[in-house]
Amino acid sequence: MKISANRDDLLKPLQQIVGVVERRQTLPILANVLITLKDNMLTFTATDLEVELRTQTVVDGSGEIEFTLPARKLMDICKALPEGAAIAIEVEGDKAVLRSGRGRYTLGMLPAQDYPSIEPPKASESFVLPIGVMKRLVDKTQFAMAQQDVRYYLNGLLLEVRSGRVRAVATDGHRLALCDAAFDQETAMDIQVILPRKAVIELGRLMHDSDVEAKFEISNSHLRVHLGDSSFTTKLIDGRFPDYERVMPSGHAELVLADKDELKQALVRTAILSNEKYRGIRFRLSKGVAHLQAHNHEQDEAEEEVEVDYQGSEMTIGFNVGYLLDVLAVIDGEQVQMSVIDSNSSTLLTPKGSSECRYVAVSYTHLTLPTIVRECG
């Protein structure tokens, strides 16, 4: 069996799916990609038993065959070849031989029949959404997901579809990111699912800014996304996401309006001398000025002043500077608005004039951080 293809046509789908392949696998076959040829269409499938991604490309090959090859090795070979190079793949017994120009590469195969497949139950809900909208929701919120938290429901992203909107929410317990988008739905929907962290990251890589629509199918345990020649499937996290609405700051708040880039650069410089563990930085607010201060156990100290639009009374608030920088990296517009209540209450950050994306940062006056999850109950 011989398959002929252009190097670029193979490289693109391989780069899409290789992120699903874990470098350290409990099953050797999970380091491989399943390759299926049918009617001149080559289908690549990669899975880690939690996430599965399939994508296709057109090649020159007759007949049908199914085999597996080491995913990263195959991608690295294609990447190292010149652009537009012709590649021939011949399957011979338990090995596959790749030829391009004067190069010859022999790769070992594992049985295709042993390759696992994720087959979700029949979808109970489905909707269509432009991929650019979904990408924006993911890009604006995924940084706030927890990493390997014992509260497993925080190691992912909440996706909600209801009341004419689609919403993404992520929190690691100390900060929260929320982003909304309008959603034209023909029927009433009330969907709330938690996507695992890895699935969120891979979805963000797979999607791009476009009005092309993707179909989302949701069952009680899985989400499947159909996007052009690609199909993405993930298990869902079975858990109860915190009631994030309860931690949105409420009550009378003073507004601080600042130039986003100016504030970001001042925070970057001040953070150099912050405590490495807590990364605490203090905001001392007075009319027209935010005075930033950081220090560490070595008695180093940094101070900066940033012009802001603030007319409230003097107030001192502490933040983890990393949390603020993460927000400023994704927020839209030239100005950022901070809604501050007092030194012990959480602070709400939004782009000026917009509430589609909202970010909550826990404020603190000492080195102990209250947690959003505890406030959620």
Side-chain angles (χ1 to χ4, degrees):
M1 177 63 69
K2 183 176 180 180
I3 302 168
S4 300
N6 183 285
R7 169 260 194 192
D8 302 336
D9 293 336
L10 294 182
L11 183 58
K12 182 179 178 181
L14 285 170
Q15 288 176 324
Q16 287 180 327
I17 68 170
V18 76
V20 175
V21 180
E22 293 284 355
R23 292 186 181 275
R24 296 180 180 178
Q25 294 286 1
T26 53
L27 299 174
I29 200 166
L30 295 180
N32 283 22
V33 56
L34 177 66
I35 302 174
T36 305
L37 173 67
K38 184 177 181 181
D39 299 330
N40 289 331
M41 185 68 72
L42 206 62
T43 301
F44 296 91
T45 303
T47 185
D48 66 353
L49 300 180
E50 180 181 84
V51 174
E52 179 185 273
L53 178 57
R54 293 181 182 178
T55 188
Q56 297 178 320
T57 188
V58 177
V59 296
D60 183 10
S62 59
E64 298 182 11
I65 191 172
E66 200 171 46
F67 57 99
T68 75
L69 289 176
R72 296 186 185 278
K73 291 178 182 178
L74 179 59
M75 185 192 69
D76 289 343
I77 291 171
C78 292
K79 188 185 296 185
L81 292 172
E83 291 185 11
I87 298 178
I89 304 175
E90 292 185 53
V91 177
E92 302 173 354
D94 61 351
K95 295 185 181 299
V97 179
L98 281 70
R99 291 185 172 87
S100 181
R102 297 183 179 180
R104 181 177 181 274
Y105 312 90
T106 303
L107 295 174
M109 301 191 304
L110 291 174
Q113 61 267 27
D114 294 342
Y115 202 83
S117 176
I118 297 179
E119 293 298 335
K122 184 179 179 180
S124 57
E125 297 278 5
S126 66
F127 60 92
V128 175
L129 193 69
I131 59 174
V133 172
M134 187 63 186
K135 179 173 176 57
R136 180 173 182 271
L137 294 177
V138 169
D139 288 348
K140 298 297 184 183
T141 57
Q142 66 172 331
F143 69 88
M145 294 186 297
Q147 298 187 48
Q148 298 180 335
D149 198 296
V150 293
R151 299 162 294 186
Y152 58 92
Y153 48 84
L154 299 185
N155 301 317
L157 181 141
L158 176 70
L159 182 66
E160 280 187 350
V161 182
R162 62 173 60 150
S163 304
R165 62 162 174 78
V166 57
R167 169 178 290 178
V169 186
T171 179
D172 62 2
H174 299 296
R175 34 96 179 264
L176 182 143
L178 178 154
C179 194
D180 271 321
F183 176 59
D184 296 328
Q185 58 190 46
E186 297 179 359
T187 58
M189 284 189 181
D190 189 357
I191 299 172
Q192 189 177 65
V193 294
I194 306 175
L195 310 184
R197 178 184 178 85
K198 182 173 180 179
V200 174
I201 293 171
E202 292 304 322
L203 263 181
R205 290 174 179 165
L206 182 63
M207 295 187 168
H208 50 85
D209 294 324
S210 171
D211 291 332
V212 175
E213 292 185 330
K215 184 177 182 181
F216 294 75
E217 297 178 344
I218 299 175
S219 68
N220 61 349
S221 58
H222 289 78
L223 167 72
R224 174 163 283 177
V225 184
H226 298 279
L227 172 59
D229 292 332
S230 300
S231 172
F232 178 85
T233 306
T234 177
K235 292 182 179 179
L236 299 173
I237 293 177
D238 183 14
R240 178 177 173 271
F241 201 80
D243 183 3
Y244 59 87
E245 295 280 7
R246 291 180 57 183
V247 302
M248 287 293 171
S250 59
H252 177 71
E254 299 288 351
L255 300 182
V256 182
L257 195 62
D259 181 276
K260 182 181 70 174
D261 291 335
E262 184 181 350
L263 177 59
K264 181 179 178 180
Q265 293 306 316
L267 288 171
V268 168
R269 292 190 294 267
T270 309
I272 295 171
L273 300 183
S274 64
N275 182 289
E276 291 184 3
K277 181 177 180 180
Y278 296 104
R279 301 203 71 197
I281 193 166
R282 297 190 189 282
F283 272 61
R284 190 171 73 248
L285 297 170
S286 58
K287 286 182 171 58
V289 177
H291 182 85
L292 314 181
Q293 183 183 43
H295 58 84
N296 56 37
H297 292 313
E298 288 77 33
Q299 307 304 314
D300 302 322
E301 188 171 319
E303 295 184 13
E304 286 267 357
E305 282 192 355
V306 178
E307 289 187 8
V308 297
D309 182 356
Y310 176 71
Q311 302 303 320
S313 57
E314 287 197 8
M315 187 187 308
T316 299
I317 314 175
F319 294 103
N320 180 307
V321 67
Y323 297 166
L324 295 183
L325 289 173
D326 285 343
V327 171
L328 294 176
V330 300
I331 211 165
D332 293 323
E334 297 180 355
Q335 292 185 302
V336 58
Q337 180 175 287
M338 302 173 65
S339 301
V340 295
I341 299 174
D342 55 47
S343 58
N344 294 311
S345 299
S346 297
T347 296
L348 179 68
L349 294 93
T350 58
K352 180 187 176 183
S354 173
S355 60
E356 279 192 346
C357 293
R358 289 171 279 169
Y359 304 93
V360 178
V362 170
S363 310
Y364 62 98
T365 52
H366 303 289
L367 294 181
T368 55
L369 282 169
T371 70
I372 283 177
V373 172
R374 186 166 65 240
E375 293 179 29
C376 288

